[in-house]
Short mmCIF file of all heavy atoms in Angstrom, two decimals:
data_model
loop_
_atom_site.label_atom_id
_atom_site.label_comp_id
_atom_site.label_asym_id
_atom_site.label_seq_id
_atom_site.Cartn_x
_atom_site.Cartn_y
_atom_site.Cartn_z
N MET A 1 0.82 -1.17 0.02
CA MET A 1 0.02 -0.02 -0.02
C MET A 1 0.90 1.22 0.00
O MET A 1 2.02 1.23 0.45
CB MET A 1 -0.90 0.01 1.22
CG MET A 1 -1.88 -1.05 1.33
SD MET A 1 -3.28 -1.06 0.23
CE MET A 1 -4.03 0.48 0.59
N THR A 2 0.34 2.37 -0.46
CA THR A 2 1.07 3.63 -0.51
C THR A 2 0.53 4.53 0.54
O THR A 2 -0.59 4.44 1.04
CB THR A 2 0.88 4.23 -1.90
OG1 THR A 2 -0.49 4.52 -2.09
CG2 THR A 2 1.42 3.31 -2.97
N ARG A 3 1.34 5.51 0.85
CA ARG A 3 0.96 6.67 1.82
C ARG A 3 1.18 7.93 1.07
O ARG A 3 2.13 8.08 0.35
CB ARG A 3 1.85 6.62 3.04
CG ARG A 3 1.49 5.46 3.96
CD ARG A 3 2.27 5.54 5.21
NE ARG A 3 1.63 4.67 6.17
CZ ARG A 3 1.59 4.94 7.48
NH1 ARG A 3 2.16 6.00 7.95
NH2 ARG A 3 0.95 4.17 8.29
N ARG A 4 0.22 8.84 1.23
CA ARG A 4 0.34 10.19 0.60
C ARG A 4 1.05 11.11 1.55
O ARG A 4 0.89 11.04 2.81
CB ARG A 4 -1.06 10.70 0.34
CG ARG A 4 -1.84 9.91 -0.58
CD ARG A 4 -1.46 10.08 -1.97
NE ARG A 4 -2.17 9.19 -2.87
CZ ARG A 4 -2.03 9.11 -4.12
NH1 ARG A 4 -1.15 9.97 -4.74
NH2 ARG A 4 -2.67 8.26 -4.84
N VAL A 5 1.91 11.97 1.04
CA VAL A 5 2.65 12.97 1.85
C VAL A 5 2.42 14.35 1.20
O VAL A 5 2.56 14.55 -0.08
CB VAL A 5 4.17 12.65 1.81
CG1 VAL A 5 4.94 13.66 2.59
CG2 VAL A 5 4.41 11.23 2.37
N VAL A 6 2.09 15.33 2.00
CA VAL A 6 2.04 16.70 1.60
C VAL A 6 2.92 17.56 2.37
O VAL A 6 3.21 17.29 3.51
CB VAL A 6 0.60 17.24 1.65
CG1 VAL A 6 -0.37 16.52 0.64
CG2 VAL A 6 0.01 17.13 3.04
N GLN A 7 3.45 18.62 1.72
CA GLN A 7 4.46 19.49 2.33
C GLN A 7 4.12 20.97 2.01
O GLN A 7 3.73 21.25 0.86
CB GLN A 7 5.81 19.11 1.84
CG GLN A 7 6.88 20.01 2.23
CD GLN A 7 8.18 19.63 1.53
OE1 GLN A 7 8.33 18.59 0.91
NE2 GLN A 7 9.16 20.50 1.65
N TRP A 8 4.19 21.86 2.93
CA TRP A 8 3.97 23.27 2.72
C TRP A 8 4.75 24.05 3.73
O TRP A 8 5.19 23.57 4.70
CB TRP A 8 2.46 23.61 2.65
CG TRP A 8 1.73 23.52 3.94
CD1 TRP A 8 1.58 24.56 4.86
CD2 TRP A 8 1.09 22.41 4.50
NE1 TRP A 8 0.86 24.12 5.95
CE2 TRP A 8 0.54 22.81 5.75
CE3 TRP A 8 0.90 21.10 4.11
CZ2 TRP A 8 -0.13 21.98 6.56
CZ3 TRP A 8 0.23 20.27 4.89
CH2 TRP A 8 -0.33 20.72 6.11
N MET A 9 4.78 25.34 3.47
CA MET A 9 5.44 26.30 4.39
C MET A 9 4.39 27.02 5.15
O MET A 9 3.33 27.38 4.66
CB MET A 9 6.33 27.29 3.58
CG MET A 9 7.41 26.61 2.80
SD MET A 9 8.57 25.64 3.73
CE MET A 9 9.46 26.97 4.54
N ALA A 10 4.69 27.37 6.44
CA ALA A 10 3.80 28.08 7.27
C ALA A 10 4.61 29.07 8.14
O ALA A 10 5.84 28.96 8.19
CB ALA A 10 3.00 27.11 8.20
N THR A 11 3.97 29.97 8.82
CA THR A 11 4.59 30.95 9.65
C THR A 11 3.91 30.90 11.02
O THR A 11 2.72 30.87 11.14
CB THR A 11 4.47 32.36 9.09
OG1 THR A 11 4.97 32.35 7.72
CG2 THR A 11 5.24 33.38 9.89
N ASN A 12 4.76 30.83 12.14
CA ASN A 12 4.17 30.77 13.44
C ASN A 12 4.01 32.22 13.99
O ASN A 12 4.21 33.20 13.33
CB ASN A 12 5.03 29.95 14.37
CG ASN A 12 6.42 30.50 14.58
OD1 ASN A 12 6.78 31.54 14.10
ND2 ASN A 12 7.15 29.80 15.45
N TYR A 13 3.58 32.32 15.24
CA TYR A 13 3.33 33.57 15.86
C TYR A 13 4.53 34.51 16.01
O TYR A 13 4.43 35.71 16.10
CB TYR A 13 2.70 33.38 17.27
CG TYR A 13 1.33 32.73 17.13
CD1 TYR A 13 1.11 31.48 17.71
CD2 TYR A 13 0.27 33.36 16.56
CE1 TYR A 13 -0.15 30.86 17.60
CE2 TYR A 13 -0.99 32.83 16.48
CZ TYR A 13 -1.17 31.53 17.04
OH TYR A 13 -2.40 30.99 16.94
N ASP A 14 5.73 33.92 16.04
CA ASP A 14 6.95 34.69 16.12
C ASP A 14 7.55 35.02 14.77
O ASP A 14 8.74 35.45 14.67
CB ASP A 14 8.01 33.88 16.96
CG ASP A 14 7.57 33.67 18.33
OD1 ASP A 14 6.82 34.48 18.88
OD2 ASP A 14 7.97 32.65 18.91
N SER A 15 6.74 34.90 13.72
CA SER A 15 7.17 35.17 12.33
C SER A 15 8.35 34.29 11.84
O SER A 15 9.13 34.72 11.09
CB SER A 15 7.49 36.60 12.15
OG SER A 15 6.33 37.39 12.42
N GLU A 16 8.43 33.06 12.38
CA GLU A 16 9.39 32.14 11.92
C GLU A 16 8.85 31.25 10.87
O GLU A 16 7.65 30.82 10.99
CB GLU A 16 9.94 31.30 13.07
CG GLU A 16 10.56 32.02 14.19
CD GLU A 16 10.95 31.21 15.45
OE1 GLU A 16 10.28 30.14 15.60
OE2 GLU A 16 11.76 31.60 16.16
N ASN A 17 9.57 30.94 9.88
CA ASN A 17 9.09 30.04 8.81
C ASN A 17 9.19 28.59 9.22
O ASN A 17 10.20 28.20 9.81
CB ASN A 17 9.91 30.26 7.51
CG ASN A 17 9.65 31.60 6.90
OD1 ASN A 17 8.52 32.08 7.01
ND2 ASN A 17 10.64 32.18 6.22
N LEU A 18 8.17 27.88 9.02
CA LEU A 18 8.11 26.46 9.40
C LEU A 18 7.83 25.58 8.17
O LEU A 18 7.15 26.04 7.23
CB LEU A 18 7.03 26.21 10.38
CG LEU A 18 7.02 27.03 11.66
CD1 LEU A 18 5.77 26.79 12.52
CD2 LEU A 18 8.25 26.66 12.42
N GLN A 19 8.36 24.43 8.09
CA GLN A 19 8.06 23.50 7.04
C GLN A 19 7.12 22.45 7.60
O GLN A 19 7.50 21.79 8.61
CB GLN A 19 9.33 22.84 6.50
CG GLN A 19 9.11 21.86 5.39
CD GLN A 19 10.42 21.29 4.83
OE1 GLN A 19 11.46 21.59 5.37
NE2 GLN A 19 10.29 20.48 3.82
N VAL A 20 5.94 22.32 7.15
CA VAL A 20 4.94 21.38 7.64
C VAL A 20 4.83 20.19 6.67
O VAL A 20 4.63 20.32 5.49
CB VAL A 20 3.60 22.08 7.75
CG1 VAL A 20 2.54 21.12 8.41
CG2 VAL A 20 3.67 23.31 8.63
N ILE A 21 5.00 18.95 7.22
CA ILE A 21 4.93 17.73 6.47
C ILE A 21 3.80 16.88 7.12
O ILE A 21 3.91 16.63 8.32
CB ILE A 21 6.25 16.98 6.41
CG1 ILE A 21 7.31 17.85 5.82
CG2 ILE A 21 6.11 15.68 5.72
CD1 ILE A 21 8.67 17.35 5.89
N THR A 22 2.86 16.42 6.32
CA THR A 22 1.78 15.56 6.79
C THR A 22 1.87 14.21 6.03
O THR A 22 1.87 14.25 4.78
CB THR A 22 0.44 16.22 6.56
OG1 THR A 22 0.41 17.48 7.24
CG2 THR A 22 -0.66 15.38 7.24
N VAL A 23 1.97 13.15 6.77
CA VAL A 23 1.91 11.77 6.17
C VAL A 23 0.54 11.15 6.50
O VAL A 23 0.11 11.06 7.69
CB VAL A 23 3.05 10.90 6.76
CG1 VAL A 23 3.01 9.54 6.16
CG2 VAL A 23 4.38 11.56 6.54
N PHE A 24 -0.24 10.80 5.49
CA PHE A 24 -1.54 10.24 5.71
C PHE A 24 -1.48 8.74 5.76
O PHE A 24 -0.50 8.11 5.35
CB PHE A 24 -2.42 10.66 4.48
CG PHE A 24 -2.82 12.13 4.49
CD1 PHE A 24 -1.97 13.02 3.83
CD2 PHE A 24 -3.89 12.55 5.18
CE1 PHE A 24 -2.30 14.39 3.85
CE2 PHE A 24 -4.18 13.90 5.23
CZ PHE A 24 -3.37 14.80 4.55
N GLU A 25 -2.55 8.14 6.28
CA GLU A 25 -2.60 6.65 6.41
C GLU A 25 -2.64 5.98 5.07
O GLU A 25 -2.86 6.61 4.09
CB GLU A 25 -3.87 6.30 7.22
CG GLU A 25 -5.20 6.56 6.56
CD GLU A 25 -5.71 8.02 6.80
OE1 GLU A 25 -5.07 8.79 7.47
OE2 GLU A 25 -6.78 8.23 6.27
N GLU A 26 -2.41 4.73 5.12
CA GLU A 26 -2.36 3.89 3.90
C GLU A 26 -3.72 3.82 3.23
O GLU A 26 -4.72 3.77 3.94
CB GLU A 26 -1.87 2.47 4.15
CG GLU A 26 -0.44 2.41 4.55
CD GLU A 26 0.02 0.96 4.80
OE1 GLU A 26 -0.81 0.09 4.78
OE2 GLU A 26 1.22 0.75 5.00
N GLY A 27 -3.77 3.82 1.92
CA GLY A 27 -5.00 3.63 1.20
C GLY A 27 -5.82 4.83 0.90
O GLY A 27 -6.84 4.78 0.19
N ILE A 28 -5.44 6.02 1.41
CA ILE A 28 -6.24 7.23 1.14
C ILE A 28 -5.90 7.68 -0.33
O ILE A 28 -4.71 7.58 -0.72
CB ILE A 28 -5.99 8.33 2.19
CG1 ILE A 28 -6.96 9.42 2.06
CG2 ILE A 28 -4.54 8.84 2.08
CD1 ILE A 28 -6.93 10.39 3.24
N ASN A 29 -6.88 8.17 -1.04
CA ASN A 29 -6.63 8.55 -2.38
C ASN A 29 -6.28 10.02 -2.53
O ASN A 29 -6.44 10.77 -1.55
CB ASN A 29 -7.82 8.23 -3.36
CG ASN A 29 -9.10 8.92 -2.91
OD1 ASN A 29 -9.11 9.76 -2.02
ND2 ASN A 29 -10.20 8.57 -3.53
N LYS A 30 -5.75 10.49 -3.62
CA LYS A 30 -5.31 11.86 -3.84
C LYS A 30 -6.46 12.85 -3.70
O LYS A 30 -6.23 13.97 -3.15
CB LYS A 30 -4.65 11.97 -5.18
CG LYS A 30 -3.89 13.21 -5.42
CD LYS A 30 -3.12 13.26 -6.72
CE LYS A 30 -2.34 14.48 -6.86
NZ LYS A 30 -1.55 14.50 -8.10
N GLN A 31 -7.63 12.56 -4.09
CA GLN A 31 -8.76 13.48 -3.99
C GLN A 31 -9.09 13.74 -2.54
O GLN A 31 -9.44 14.88 -2.14
CB GLN A 31 -9.98 12.96 -4.75
CG GLN A 31 -9.83 12.97 -6.22
CD GLN A 31 -9.04 11.82 -6.80
OE1 GLN A 31 -8.83 10.82 -6.08
NE2 GLN A 31 -8.50 12.01 -8.02
N ALA A 32 -8.98 12.73 -1.68
CA ALA A 32 -9.29 12.94 -0.27
C ALA A 32 -8.24 13.82 0.40
O ALA A 32 -8.57 14.65 1.27
CB ALA A 32 -9.42 11.57 0.45
N VAL A 33 -6.99 13.66 0.03
CA VAL A 33 -5.88 14.41 0.60
C VAL A 33 -6.06 15.86 0.10
O VAL A 33 -5.93 16.79 0.91
CB VAL A 33 -4.54 13.84 0.08
CG1 VAL A 33 -3.43 14.82 0.42
CG2 VAL A 33 -4.24 12.52 0.71
N LYS A 34 -6.44 16.09 -1.16
CA LYS A 34 -6.64 17.44 -1.64
C LYS A 34 -7.80 18.15 -0.97
O LYS A 34 -7.75 19.39 -0.75
CB LYS A 34 -6.86 17.48 -3.17
CG LYS A 34 -5.58 17.30 -3.93
CD LYS A 34 -5.89 17.46 -5.44
CE LYS A 34 -4.62 17.47 -6.20
NZ LYS A 34 -4.88 17.69 -7.64
N SER A 35 -8.82 17.39 -0.63
CA SER A 35 -9.96 18.04 0.07
C SER A 35 -9.57 18.37 1.53
O SER A 35 -10.12 19.36 2.08
CB SER A 35 -11.14 17.08 0.11
OG SER A 35 -10.89 15.99 0.91
N GLN A 36 -8.63 17.70 2.15
CA GLN A 36 -8.25 18.01 3.52
C GLN A 36 -7.18 19.13 3.56
O GLN A 36 -7.11 19.89 4.51
CB GLN A 36 -7.65 16.77 4.24
CG GLN A 36 -8.74 15.73 4.48
CD GLN A 36 -8.15 14.52 5.18
OE1 GLN A 36 -7.00 14.55 5.75
NE2 GLN A 36 -8.88 13.46 5.24
N THR A 37 -6.34 19.24 2.52
CA THR A 37 -5.32 20.28 2.40
C THR A 37 -5.39 20.93 1.05
O THR A 37 -4.52 20.69 0.21
CB THR A 37 -3.90 19.71 2.65
OG1 THR A 37 -3.77 18.63 1.71
CG2 THR A 37 -3.77 19.15 4.07
N PRO A 38 -6.42 21.74 0.82
CA PRO A 38 -6.55 22.30 -0.54
C PRO A 38 -5.56 23.37 -0.94
O PRO A 38 -5.32 23.62 -2.14
CB PRO A 38 -7.98 22.93 -0.50
CG PRO A 38 -8.15 23.28 0.97
CD PRO A 38 -7.44 22.16 1.68
N PHE A 39 -4.84 23.94 0.05
CA PHE A 39 -3.83 24.98 -0.22
C PHE A 39 -2.52 24.40 -0.61
O PHE A 39 -1.62 25.19 -1.06
CB PHE A 39 -3.70 25.90 0.97
CG PHE A 39 -3.48 25.15 2.24
CD1 PHE A 39 -2.23 24.73 2.62
CD2 PHE A 39 -4.54 24.81 3.10
CE1 PHE A 39 -2.01 24.04 3.82
CE2 PHE A 39 -4.35 24.09 4.26
CZ PHE A 39 -3.02 23.71 4.57
N CYS A 40 -2.28 23.16 -0.46
CA CYS A 40 -0.98 22.54 -0.69
C CYS A 40 -0.91 22.03 -2.15
O CYS A 40 -1.85 21.39 -2.63
CB CYS A 40 -0.79 21.39 0.27
SG CYS A 40 0.82 20.61 0.08
N ARG A 41 0.21 22.25 -2.78
CA ARG A 41 0.39 21.87 -4.20
C ARG A 41 1.41 20.73 -4.33
O ARG A 41 1.58 20.21 -5.39
CB ARG A 41 0.81 23.02 -5.00
CG ARG A 41 -0.32 24.03 -5.14
CD ARG A 41 -0.04 25.11 -6.08
NE ARG A 41 -1.05 26.09 -5.95
CZ ARG A 41 -1.82 26.52 -6.93
NH1 ARG A 41 -1.62 26.02 -8.08
NH2 ARG A 41 -2.72 27.40 -6.70
N GLN A 42 2.18 20.41 -3.30
CA GLN A 42 3.19 19.40 -3.35
C GLN A 42 2.65 18.11 -2.76
O GLN A 42 2.47 17.96 -1.53
CB GLN A 42 4.48 19.80 -2.65
CG GLN A 42 5.18 20.91 -3.32
CD GLN A 42 6.49 21.21 -2.63
OE1 GLN A 42 6.84 20.72 -1.58
NE2 GLN A 42 7.31 22.00 -3.30
N HIS A 43 2.34 17.11 -3.62
CA HIS A 43 1.84 15.83 -3.13
C HIS A 43 2.81 14.81 -3.63
O HIS A 43 3.16 14.75 -4.74
CB HIS A 43 0.42 15.55 -3.80
CG HIS A 43 -0.64 16.47 -3.37
ND1 HIS A 43 -1.46 16.20 -2.30
CD2 HIS A 43 -1.03 17.72 -3.81
CE1 HIS A 43 -2.27 17.22 -2.12
NE2 HIS A 43 -1.99 18.15 -3.05
N ARG A 44 3.28 13.97 -2.65
CA ARG A 44 4.16 12.93 -2.97
C ARG A 44 3.66 11.61 -2.46
O ARG A 44 2.68 11.56 -1.73
CB ARG A 44 5.54 13.24 -2.32
CG ARG A 44 6.18 14.52 -2.87
CD ARG A 44 7.51 14.82 -2.35
NE ARG A 44 8.42 13.84 -3.02
CZ ARG A 44 9.69 13.73 -2.62
NH1 ARG A 44 10.17 14.53 -1.72
NH2 ARG A 44 10.51 12.88 -3.21
N VAL A 45 4.21 10.52 -2.86
CA VAL A 45 3.78 9.18 -2.49
C VAL A 45 4.95 8.37 -1.93
O VAL A 45 6.04 8.42 -2.46
CB VAL A 45 3.23 8.48 -3.70
CG1 VAL A 45 2.72 7.07 -3.36
CG2 VAL A 45 2.05 9.24 -4.32
N LEU A 46 4.67 7.70 -0.85
CA LEU A 46 5.60 6.76 -0.20
C LEU A 46 5.17 5.38 -0.57
O LEU A 46 3.96 5.02 -0.36
CB LEU A 46 5.63 6.91 1.33
CG LEU A 46 6.32 8.16 1.92
CD1 LEU A 46 6.03 8.13 3.44
CD2 LEU A 46 7.79 8.05 1.67
N TYR A 47 6.12 4.52 -1.03
CA TYR A 47 5.79 3.13 -1.36
C TYR A 47 6.46 2.27 -0.32
O TYR A 47 7.59 2.53 0.14
CB TYR A 47 6.33 2.78 -2.72
CG TYR A 47 5.60 3.46 -3.83
CD1 TYR A 47 6.08 4.58 -4.47
CD2 TYR A 47 4.37 2.94 -4.28
CE1 TYR A 47 5.38 5.21 -5.48
CE2 TYR A 47 3.66 3.49 -5.32
CZ TYR A 47 4.18 4.66 -5.84
OH TYR A 47 3.50 5.25 -6.90
N LYS A 48 5.76 1.20 0.03
CA LYS A 48 6.32 0.29 1.05
C LYS A 48 7.48 -0.50 0.38
O LYS A 48 7.35 -1.03 -0.75
CB LYS A 48 5.23 -0.70 1.49
CG LYS A 48 5.54 -1.38 2.81
CD LYS A 48 4.34 -2.10 3.32
CE LYS A 48 4.31 -1.89 4.81
NZ LYS A 48 3.21 -2.40 5.45
N SER A 49 8.60 -0.55 1.05
CA SER A 49 9.79 -1.22 0.57
C SER A 49 9.66 -2.75 1.02
O SER A 49 8.77 -3.17 1.64
CB SER A 49 11.04 -0.62 1.02
OG SER A 49 11.16 -0.71 2.41
N LYS A 50 10.74 -3.46 0.62
CA LYS A 50 10.74 -4.91 0.98
C LYS A 50 10.85 -5.19 2.44
O LYS A 50 10.39 -6.18 2.87
CB LYS A 50 11.90 -5.56 0.20
CG LYS A 50 11.75 -5.57 -1.28
CD LYS A 50 12.87 -6.22 -1.97
CE LYS A 50 12.69 -6.09 -3.47
NZ LYS A 50 13.80 -6.69 -4.20
N GLY A 51 11.42 -4.25 3.22
CA GLY A 51 11.42 -4.44 4.67
C GLY A 51 10.10 -4.27 5.26
O GLY A 51 9.14 -3.88 4.63
N ARG A 52 9.99 -4.56 6.51
CA ARG A 52 8.68 -4.55 7.18
C ARG A 52 8.09 -3.17 7.27
O ARG A 52 7.14 -2.82 6.53
CB ARG A 52 8.76 -5.14 8.62
CG ARG A 52 8.90 -6.64 8.49
CD ARG A 52 8.44 -7.29 9.80
NE ARG A 52 9.47 -6.93 10.82
CZ ARG A 52 9.41 -7.31 12.03
NH1 ARG A 52 8.37 -7.99 12.47
NH2 ARG A 52 10.34 -6.98 12.92
N ASN A 53 8.56 -2.31 8.03
CA ASN A 53 7.89 -1.01 8.30
C ASN A 53 8.79 0.08 7.63
O ASN A 53 8.98 1.20 8.20
CB ASN A 53 7.75 -0.73 9.78
CG ASN A 53 6.69 -1.55 10.39
OD1 ASN A 53 5.65 -1.80 9.74
ND2 ASN A 53 6.84 -1.98 11.58
N LYS A 54 9.24 -0.12 6.44
CA LYS A 54 10.06 0.88 5.77
C LYS A 54 9.37 1.36 4.47
O LYS A 54 8.72 0.59 3.80
CB LYS A 54 11.42 0.25 5.37
CG LYS A 54 12.27 -0.13 6.59
CD LYS A 54 13.57 -0.70 6.19
CE LYS A 54 14.41 -1.12 7.40
NZ LYS A 54 15.65 -1.66 7.04
N TYR A 55 9.51 2.65 4.23
CA TYR A 55 8.93 3.28 3.08
C TYR A 55 10.00 4.07 2.35
O TYR A 55 10.94 4.48 2.92
CB TYR A 55 7.73 4.25 3.55
CG TYR A 55 6.53 3.55 4.00
CD1 TYR A 55 6.41 3.19 5.37
CD2 TYR A 55 5.49 3.25 3.17
CE1 TYR A 55 5.24 2.56 5.82
CE2 TYR A 55 4.34 2.60 3.64
CZ TYR A 55 4.29 2.33 4.97
OH TYR A 55 3.15 1.68 5.48
N GLU A 56 9.78 4.27 1.02
CA GLU A 56 10.68 5.05 0.28
C GLU A 56 9.88 5.83 -0.78
O GLU A 56 8.80 5.44 -1.26
CB GLU A 56 11.78 4.22 -0.39
CG GLU A 56 11.31 3.04 -1.18
CD GLU A 56 12.42 2.17 -1.59
OE1 GLU A 56 13.25 1.79 -0.82
OE2 GLU A 56 12.41 1.81 -2.77
N PHE A 57 10.46 6.99 -1.13
CA PHE A 57 9.81 7.89 -2.16
C PHE A 57 10.20 7.33 -3.51
O PHE A 57 11.26 6.82 -3.79
CB PHE A 57 10.35 9.31 -2.12
CG PHE A 57 9.76 10.08 -0.95
CD1 PHE A 57 10.49 10.38 0.16
CD2 PHE A 57 8.46 10.56 -1.01
CE1 PHE A 57 9.99 11.08 1.18
CE2 PHE A 57 7.93 11.27 0.00
CZ PHE A 57 8.66 11.54 1.11
N LYS A 58 9.21 7.37 -4.41
CA LYS A 58 9.51 7.01 -5.82
C LYS A 58 8.79 7.98 -6.72
O LYS A 58 7.91 8.64 -6.35
CB LYS A 58 8.98 5.61 -6.16
CG LYS A 58 9.80 4.57 -5.46
CD LYS A 58 9.51 3.26 -6.00
CE LYS A 58 10.42 2.23 -5.34
NZ LYS A 58 10.21 0.89 -5.79
#
């Protein structure tokens, strides 16, 4: 199964730039991710590797 990953930049109360990364559960489709984070344009996918709990970007 694959996992969806979204990344965006945010600013906290002290005006510091933050990088926010959200990893969604397995099996969620791209349309559901876009509806939860509509402002984010970078969508990536993690694929399960041959090891047990290891994932890698492709």
